[in-house]
Amino acid sequence: MEGPPPKSEGSDAPTTSTTQSTTEQSQPQQQQQQQQQQQPQSQPQPKAKSAKAPKAKAAKAPKEAKPKPAPKAKGDAKPQPEIRLKKEFINTTPAGEKKDMSQPMLTAYDPPAVEAAWYDWWNAQGFFKADETDTTREKFVIMIPPPNVTGSLHMGHALTNSIQDALCRWHRMSGRNVLWMPGTDHAGIATQVVVEKKLQRERGITRHDLGREAFVNEVWKWKDQYGNRIKEQLKRLGSSLDWSRECFTMDEKLSKAVVEAFVRLYDQGLIYRGVRLVNWCSALKTAISDIEVDKKELAGRTLLPVPGHDGKYEFGVLVSFAYKVEETDEEIIIATTRIETMLGDTAVAVHPDDQRYTHLHGKFLKHPFNGRRIPIITDGTLVDMTFGTGAVKVTPAHDPNDYDCGKRNNLEFINIFDDDGAINENGAPFQGMKRFDARNAIMKALEEKGLLKEVKDNPMVLPVCSRSKDVIEPRLKPQWWVVCQGMASEALAAAKDGRLEFIPASHNTIWNSWLNNCHDWCVSRQLWWGHRIPAYLVTIEGKEQPDGDNQSNWVIARSHEEAMEKAILQHPDVDPSKIKLEQDPDVLDTWFSSGLFPFSTLGWPNVESPDYKAFYPNALLETGHDIIFFWVARMVMMGITLTGQVPFSQVYLHAMVRDAHGRKMSKSLGNVIDPIDVTEGIKLEDMQHGLEQGNLDLAELAKAKAGQQKDFPKGISECGTDAMRFALCAYTSQGRDVNLDIDRVVGYRNFCNKIWNATKFALMNLGDHFKPNANAALTGKERPMEKWILSRLSHAIIQADEAWRAYDFSKATTAIHSFWLYELCDVYLEAIKPLMRSGDPDACRGSQDTLYTCIEMGLRLLHPFMPFVTEELWQRIPRREGSQEVSIMTCQYPAPAQVETWRDEQLENTVKLTLEITRATRAMRDGYGIKPGVRLQVFITLKTDELVATFQSGFSNLIDVLACADVIILPKTKEAPEGCAINVVNENCEINLQLKGLIDFAVEIKKLEKNKEKTLQQLEALQKKMQAKDYETKVPKNVQLSNDERVIKMKQEIEALDAAILRYQKLSASN
């Protein structure tokens, strides 16, 4: 179930009884949600009643008397509401000092004013700091997924940090010693690319012009200047991280752990040197990880630019060509999407059972360009003989499946590309050509030889480097690899035996599947920025340069000195002075250092470090499900291997943030949402200016702008941090995808205003001299409505507690939102207004005590999700006697044990019925067009003596207040007077609304008949257009569909008008 949908609250204080209305939710599951929260529900609709005839069956909603207008024709612009932008606010509070709360409370909630100063004060007070010396309290330890130091906040970060901060605040308020470890990742490729572009742009030089050491110094300068951007954005989110322990993956402490981990894994035989296939980015000249490869879907023939090439090149086509069988006139036709790789073909495979090729088993083909003999082999694993021609070209050095085939069949591995992506000497006669220029040249040459058979469209997925946008080439490269199978088995066992728990549990299946099939991990990267691999190639003066591909020529060590000691031991017969060491220029994959994060940040390998002893293993790992393989699995494998313990006991994997239509957020779609734009608001023109500053081509830019125009016609309204956090947490029930609707976030901004005004109402009615009771215990003098709201508060606290423990953030936000909005604001505040206006202090005291308890506990209940507004409001309410708390952050979170005795389900059911009657009465008022300020006369027929007694004891007064109605309770033996419309609430309750004197039936009938005539004319005109001879051929299909929908709507409107006319005619006849 989704989290609580924001109601269409206005910006007013809790409304008066004459204008109060409860907004119905639009989705069935949201209606069910309200039922679960015992909110007033939609009622069966009124029926006509006449003294001269028996009661008729209940009619449909009287709202049919005011049907919605038919859809507008295409081109009629629907007016869009103006957006609200952040107001300029000057924070005068010195950094780290407490905000001056003696100033008058703002008229309405204003996010910039509310959020100002609190974070710096919390941090200065040490509220975020964990205590490694505390051995008495239970600990809660969680690591931030370290964002890239180059990065800026995106919605994924916002979701992650909203969840993690809410958890940390709840655990602190529950009395635990909380460590939330902050840190950033050095992001090897991303950072190097950023700095290289900066050097080229500002100084016209490359990193090679500077040299390695000078370039790395430039990166450190950049990091020092710009690396704090993400940190400041995290603070704006309210993330209560322990900044005293902030770390960076290239810090000395973490770098030491990286070297130690590499050495230990190598010594255990878990790291080796090998020549294997990697994802090669020719533009960056490095291997990259799978997560850095984007999958670009092509529907067919597509022209794309390629870095390092001029113009655009054709992708999304399947090229068929022929190999001639040696010494025969036969040929075998092959199809491929990468024709250039045929230069490296070393076999053609067929299925051993394919009778078409049995006579060719063991024979050879002749390469058309270099004359190489290509064997015809049989391979039942690689070949599907029902697909295509049943023959597959095998290029072991440039395709993962072909690589495996090459290993199985002992084929030759021929690399045809150099590091720049150009064709090397093995690709003669195309040597020196850029690979996609070679593609075109090969096709032309094949055509000239009569070997090019067909080129056709082919839907495909193109692997593209996420950083450079270059097309990825699988290439054989000598690299350092981590053996994963053994570690994977340990990780599987941890999940199986309960040492590691996944939430949701469905991720166990994904975990098991991946780890059961995981491959060795390439950890080499051909970069300069990062942890340099602690591997040293040993050379002997006067001897031939050793083979760098051969692992035996390397030593692995923590330092150059240790490496020399190992090299001397490795070559006991060599004069030490003749031994030279050359450290591998490559750096480690960023995920290697990230995999150590749960323990390297705590001081490992020093297991006597106070932080390591106090906070390892961690309690929880919370992150997105998309990096379960790249990060989560590697942390678990490396944690168990290097520390002997699972690094955390639970893993909570949250959903991915998508747009309101369920699409992945992408710059090319124009649907990427910056969290700062949500918190502060932004105009559409500014959003589109941001697109123009990007790298989209003209077609993509036009598409992106159109997408923005559709989804955000005027831009995004300012929502504030609290509303965005609450919305993101409320969305977490949707499974694997969060379809983020900004309108819903705006609704939560209005919810903040409701909370603001409810607290302001409470302060106004408590008065300056109100002193709360010493505790929240019941006094025994509570009236029924006091008991009811405290029962509902108890319910919300119990629900929230269950939800926190189950990581069910949607359930928690639903419980809290429903209590504040539907119960406290909509009902209780309205119910006590007449009493508060009475001015009788003795009569008001019970309501004041209850109101204070609800506001104070409600703010604490809400604080983990909305830290800023709750702190601001909590600071303004009085304290209970003996309270020593200076911040809501350090208060105790409301616990079920404190409030369980407040539950009164019988009373809740009575109030539930009362509210159902109220809502039904309001619906009848709206349906018959009676103005809100007009006082109604309502006769309520109750079928049981118990209900009659209950409502005569005072509950009818609540309906008086909430529905602006004079209520008369009737037993089942007595009928209501003539002229009443009837609404059946349930089998024991019926509402009779007196319409005599309120409605001129003749006038209303005339209005409805006029509307009907107008709608009929519109329908006839539209149908006439649709019956034109050339309508189906000349009118666009989307317009035809729109017109079909308009016809249906107008017919429905006419039916509704007829029903409403009939209803008024019956009521008129009864009078």
Side-chain angles (χ1 to χ4, degrees):
M1 184 181 295
E2 291 187 4
K7 184 180 158 183
S8 303
E9 312 98 344
S11 59
D12 300 333
T15 53
T16 63
S17 59
T18 57
T19 60
Q20 177 83 11
S21 67
T22 304
T23 302
E24 295 179 282
Q25 300 181 29
S26 59
Q27 299 179 15
Q29 67 180 40
Q30 294 170 346
Q31 293 171 347
Q32 180 184 4
Q33 225 168 51
Q34 283 195 4
Q35 290 168 356
Q36 290 174 342
Q37 294 299 326
Q38 300 191 18
Q39 297 308 311
Q41 299 300 304
S42 300
Q43 308 300 321
Q45 298 303 324
K47 59 182 178 179
K49 179 180 179 182
S50 170
K52 299 176 183 177
K55 294 177 182 177
K57 186 177 179 181
K60 290 186 178 181
K63 288 185 180 180
E64 292 169 346
K66 287 189 173 183
K68 293 181 180 179
K72 293 184 179 181
K74 186 176 180 181
D76 292 344
K78 179 182 177 182
Q80 295 293 330
E82 292 297 323
I83 62 169
R84 179 197 301 111
L85 298 176
K86 175 185 176 182
K87 296 177 183 176
E88 193 64 35
F89 176 78
I90 299 174
N91 178 24
T92 59
T93 304
E97 292 189 14
K98 187 176 181 180
K99 189 185 295 187
D100 180 8
M101 301 305 293
S102 65
Q103 298 300 313
M105 193 171 176
L106 295 174
T107 304
Y109 168 68
D110 181 41
V114 168
E115 293 169 17
W118 288 123
Y119 191 92
D120 288 342
W121 179 68
W122 289 329
N123 196 24
Q125 292 295 305
F127 295 152
F128 305 161
K129 197 173 187 309
D131 184 356
E132 72 279 5
T133 66
D134 186 345
T135 59
T136 59
R137 291 184 296 159
E138 183 182 352
K139 297 181 180 68
F140 177 73
V141 183
I142 183 172
M143 300 281 154
I144 190 174
N148 289 353
V149 70
T150 57
S152 60
L153 206 63
H154 57 62
M155 291 308 298
H157 290 132
L159 174 61
T160 297
N161 283 274
S162 296
I163 291 172
Q164 291 187 6
D165 187 59
L167 279 168
C168 288
R169 288 176 184 270
W170 174 68
H171 278 288
R172 285 193 197 95
M173 294 177 76
S174 299
R176 298 179 184 90
N177 185 13
V178 173
L179 170 59
W180 185 13
M181 176 68 77
T184 47
D185 191 283
H186 64 280
I189 293 177
T191 308
Q192 180 161 315
V193 168
V194 166
V195 177
E196 285 194 84
K197 287 182 177 179
K198 181 174 183 288
L199 289 172
Q200 185 63 46
R201 182 177 63 253
E202 295 179 357
R203 297 162 60 181
I205 59 175
T206 70
R207 62 183 166 111
H208 299 285
D209 295 328
L210 285 176
R212 182 168 191 146
E213 185 176 350
F215 175 76
V216 170
N217 287 336
E218 288 293 325
V219 181
W220 277 108
K221 289 178 186 177
W222 182 93
K223 186 264 178 186
D224 293 339
Q225 185 174 1
Y226 299 105
N228 283 335
R229 178 174 53 183
I230 194 86
K231 175 181 175 180
E232 295 307 312
Q233 290 176 326
L234 289 171
K235 290 181 176 181
R236 291 182 66 176
L237 268 183
S239 303
S240 55
L241 293 145
D242 185 349
W243 294 110
S244 69
R245 290 178 163 87
E246 181 185 5
C247 57
F248 175 53
T249 50
M250 288 284 285
D251 286 345
E252 183 180 354
K253 180 175 74 173
L254 273 67
S255 295
K256 180 180 178 182
V258 168
V259 171
E260 183 67 27
F262 192 94
V263 173
R264 290 193 188 186
L265 292 174
Y266 180 83
D267 290 344
Q268 294 176 45
L270 296 175
I271 288 182
Y272 67 92
R273 181 84 169 170
V275 180
R276 301 186 56 167
L277 279 184
V278 298
N279 297 316
W280 186 260
C281 175
S282 301
L284 299 177
K285 299 183 184 64
T286 182
I288 63 174
S289 66
D290 289 343
I291 200 171
E292 290 158 327
V293 178
D294 291 338
K295 310 297 185 185
K296 189 177 183 70
E297 294 187 11
L298 305 179
R301 192 181 309 256
T302 308
L303 292 176
L304 296 173
V306 179
H309 290 63
D310 298 323
K312 293 185 177 183
Y313 296 82
E314 191 174 65
F315 296 89
V317 294
L318 189 67
V319 179
S320 296
F321 72 100
Y323 273 127
K324 292 289 187 181
V325 179
E326 195 176 60
E327 298 178 355
T328 74
D329 293 331
E330 288 188 76
E331 61 184 22
I332 293 181
I333 297 177
I334 310 295
T336 179
T337 59
R338 299 164 66 215
I339 187 64
E340 64 278 7
T341 62
M342 61 89 67
L343 298 175
D345 286 354
T346 57
V348 166
V350 296
H351 197 281
D353 299 332
D354 193 336
Q355 298 299 315
R356 292 173 293 176
Y357 300 111
T358 303
H359 67 292
L360 295 178
H361 290 183
K363 296 191 179 296
F364 290 84
L365 304 168
K366 185 177 181 180
H367 199 286
F369 300 127
N370 55 37
R372 183 167 59 243
R373 298 182 78 211
I374 299 174
I376 300 171
I377 64 171
T378 58
D379 192 307
T381 302
L382 179 68
V383 180
D384 176 0
M385 62 181 176
T386 65
F387 183 78
T389 64
V392 178
K393 63 188 286 295
V394 184
T395 320
H398 294 289
D399 182 272
N401 294 323
D402 294 2
Y403 176 89
D404 293 337
C405 175
K407 288 291 186 182
R408 285 193 300 272
N409 294 280
N410 197 29
L411 298 177
E412 184 181 5
F413 287 67
I414 299 176
N415 173 34
I416 63 167
F417 298 123
D418 63 19
D419 287 354
D420 292 323
I423 304 298
N424 64 20
E425 65 278 6
N426 295 325
F430 304 96
Q431 182 178 357
M433 296 182 69
K434 295 175 181 178
R435 58 196 155 134
F436 296 114
D437 290 334
R439 170 179 289 188
N440 294 337
I442 289 168
M443 289 178 65
K444 183 178 179 181
L446 287 171
E447 186 175 19
E448 290 171 352
K449 291 176 179 289
L451 297 175
L452 185 66
K453 301 299 182 180
E454 184 182 28
V455 179
K456 64 180 181 180
D457 278 33
N458 179 63
M460 63 177 290
V461 175
L462 187 69
V464 174
C465 175
S466 63
R467 303 295 176 189
S468 68
K469 307 307 176 187
D470 194 12
V471 177
I472 294 301
E473 293 292 348
R475 285 189 67 204
L476 283 176
K477 295 289 288 184
Q479 309 277 271
W480 293 99
W481 301 80
V482 175
V483 181
C484 292
Q485 288 74 19
M487 291 193 290
S489 296
E490 292 290 336
L492 284 165
K496 186 175 181 180
D497 63 27
R499 286 175 292 155
L500 181 66
E501 177 190 8
F502 283 97
I503 305 164
S506 58
H507 289 290
N508 278 298
T509 302
I510 302 168
W511 179 258
N512 293 339
S513 175
W514 189 79
L515 288 176
N516 276 316
N517 297 282
C518 74
H519 302 289
D520 290 353
W521 169 22
C522 174
V523 292
S524 298
R525 296 292 179 269
Q526 290 64 48
L527 303 171
W528 287 357
W529 172 246
H531 298 104
R532 194 165 176 181
I533 295 175
Y536 300 81
L537 183 64
V538 181
T539 61
I540 308 299
E541 190 178 311
K543 290 191 176 182
E544 185 179 345
Q545 180 70 19
D547 180 6
D549 295 355
N550 191 332
Q551 182 175 316
S552 64
N553 293 323
W554 295 80
V555 293
I556 309 301
R558 297 167 181 82
S559 65
H560 188 278
E561 292 74 20
E562 184 180 85
M564 182 59 73
E565 292 173 4
K566 289 186 175 183
I568 292 171
L569 290 174
Q570 187 174 302
H571 300 277
D573 300 330
V574 176
D575 182 350
S577 66
K578 294 185 179 297
I579 297 177
K580 306 298 179 185
L581 300 177
E582 182 182 346
Q583 188 173 358
D584 192 331
D586 291 353
V587 300
L588 285 165
D589 179 10
T590 299
W591 294 103
F592 189 92
S593 54
S594 297
L596 309 175
F597 205 75
F599 46 96
S600 64
T601 53
L602 300 174
W604 186 90
N606 178 14
V607 295
E608 296 302 315
S609 161
D611 274 4
Y612 184 85
K613 292 173 73 174
F615 301 121
Y616 189 78
N618 307 167
L620 176 72
L621 186 279
E622 192 282 332
T623 189
H625 67 74
D626 57 324
I627 55 174
I628 186 172
F629 313 131
F630 303 104
W631 192 40
V632 182
R634 286 164 181 169
M635 282 189 287
V636 173
M637 291 192 295
M638 296 173 82
I640 294 174
T641 302
L642 295 170
T643 72
Q645 300 180 80
V646 181
F648 27 75
S649 55
Q650 291 182 309
V651 178
Y652 177 79
L653 297 168
H654 65 240
M656 301 306 297
V657 183
R658 296 180 180 269
D659 71 6
H661 311 291
R663 301 173 303 178
K664 182 179 178 180
M665 288 195 176
S666 162
K667 290 179 181 177
S668 63
L669 292 175
N671 61 350
V672 173
I673 300 173
D674 186 333
I676 303 303
D677 292 343
V678 178
T679 59
E680 296 185 354
I682 184 172
K683 294 179 180 178
L684 175 64
E685 51 263 40
D686 293 330
M687 295 176 72
Q688 303 219 319
H689 178 70
L691 286 176
E692 292 166 359
Q693 302 307 303
N695 298 316
L696 301 180
D697 62 34
L698 291 179
E700 288 180 321
L701 180 62
K703 180 180 177 182
K705 283 187 171 183
Q708 281 188 343
Q709 176 77 47
K710 180 180 178 182
D711 288 346
F712 315 108
K714 292 201 173 183
I716 297 174
S717 275
E718 171 215 48
C719 297
T721 299
D722 286 322
M724 183 179 70
R725 286 171 53 119
F726 194 88
L728 289 169
C729 290
Y731 265 118
T732 55
S733 68
Q734 290 189 3
R736 300 195 68 168
D737 296 319
V738 169
N739 296 346
L740 184 62
D741 185 349
I742 292 298
D743 286 342
R744 186 165 165 183
V745 187
V746 173
Y748 287 126
R749 197 267 189 205
N750 295 336
F751 173 51
C752 289
N753 198 60
K754 274 286 189 181
I755 297 165
W756 184 271
N757 287 320
T759 306
K760 187 165 66 172
F761 171 86
L763 289 171
M764 183 171 58
N765 285 281
L766 294 177
D768 295 336
H769 305 294
F770 174 79
K771 291 185 178 180
N773 294 332
N775 57 57
L778 301 183
T779 64
K781 298 180 180 179
E782 289 80 11
R783 296 180 178 84
M785 286 309 293
E786 267 83 66
K787 292 179 181 178
W788 173 78
I789 192 62
L790 291 174
S791 180
R792 296 308 298 158
L793 175 58
S794 173
H795 173 77
I797 290 170
I798 293 168
Q799 290 287 300
D801 182 77
E802 291 174 356
W804 283 115
R805 296 178 188 280
Y807 299 102
D808 190 342
F809 305 105
S810 176
K811 179 179 177 180
T813 52
T814 296
I816 298 167
H817 180 269
S818 295
F819 169 75
W820 269 99
L821 191 58
Y822 301 124
E823 294 161 352
L824 184 62
C825 291
D826 276 4
V827 179
Y828 183 68
L829 297 190
E830 297 301 321
I832 65 173
K833 280 181 179 178
L835 182 62
M836 292 300 183
R837 294 192 195 105
S838 71
D840 183 343
D842 294 331
C844 289
R845 180 66 198 199
S847 295
Q848 288 175 320
D849 288 336
T850 300
L851 179 58
Y852 174 82
T853 295
C854 289
I855 294 291
E856 197 274 338
M857 276 195 170
L859 290 173
R860 284 191 278 137
L861 198 61
L862 182 59
H863 175 73
F865 295 116
M866 291 185 165
F868 294 107
V869 69
T870 52
E871 182 73 88
E872 180 89 9
L873 294 174
W874 185 86
Q875 292 288 347
R876 290 189 176 276
I877 62 176
R879 303 283 180 273
R880 294 193 187 276
E881 186 179 348
S883 172
Q884 301 297 315
E885 303 298 346
V886 297
S887 168
I888 194 172
M889 265 198 74
T890 60
C891 290
Q892 181 184 4
Y893 197 77
Q898 300 170 299
V899 298
E900 283 173 335
T901 59
W902 296 358
R903 288 303 305 278
D904 187 335
E905 293 188 25
Q906 183 176 353
L907 175 60
E908 288 187 14
N909 288 332
T910 300
V911 176
K912 178 184 177 183
L913 177 58
T914 306
L915 297 177
E916 287 174 349
I917 295 170
T918 300
R919 185 168 181 172
T921 304
R922 290 174 179 166
M924 294 173 76
R925 175 196 293 274
D926 293 343
Y928 286 110
I930 302 170
K931 293 181 180 179
V934 175
R935 196 156 188 84
L936 305 175
Q937 187 176 39
V938 177
F939 299 89
I940 300 176
T941 302
L942 299 168
K943 304 297 178 67
T944 70
D945 294 338
E946 183 181 1
L947 281 176
V948 171
T950 298
F951 277 83
Q952 287 180 339
S953 68
F955 280 98
S956 61
N957 295 334
L958 181 60
I959 304 170
D960 288 352
V961 172
L962 298 180
C964 188
D966 295 325
V967 177
I968 300 166
I969 304 297
L970 300 177
K972 61 182 178 181
T973 57
K974 190 172 182 180
E975 288 200 355
E978 292 183 356
C980 289
I982 299 175
N983 189 328
V984 178
V985 178
N986 59 33
E987 71 277 11
N988 292 316
C989 180
E990 173 181 290
I991 301 172
N992 299 268
L993 174 63
Q994 180 57 264
L995 296 177
K996 187 185 294 185
L998 294 177
I999 292 178
D1000 187 327
F1001 299 118
V1003 171
E1004 294 300 321
I1005 291 170
K1006 188 174 181 180
K1007 288 180 184 177
L1008 292 170
E1009 288 176 338
K1010 185 177 180 180
N1011 286 341
K1012 177 183 173 182
E1013 180 62 27
K1014 182 179 178 182
T1015 306
L1016 279 169
Q1017 290 174 0
Q1018 291 174 343
L1019 177 60
E1020 289 170 3
L1022 179 58
Q1023 289 178 325
K1024 186 176 180 180
K1025 288 181 181 179
M1026 295 170 67
Q1027 289 165 2
K1029 290 183 179 180
D1030 54 358
Y1031 176 78
E1032 292 188 3
T1033 56
K1034 288 191 174 181
V1035 177
K1037 288 294 182 185
N1038 63 321
V1039 176
Q1040 291 185 40
L1041 289 172
S1042 175
N1043 288 340
D1044 290 342
E1045 291 176 3
R1046 292 179 65 207
V1047 168
I1048 293 170
K1049 292 287 186 182
M1050 283 191 278
K1051 286 181 177 179
Q1052 290 173 341
E1053 184 177 342
I1054 291 165
E1055 289 178 7
L1057 288 163
D1058 282 335
I1061 291 167
L1062 180 61
R1063 186 163 50 253
Y1064 278 127
Q1065 287 172 340
K1066 288 181 178 180
L1067 285 169
S1068 178
S1070 71
N1071 287 283

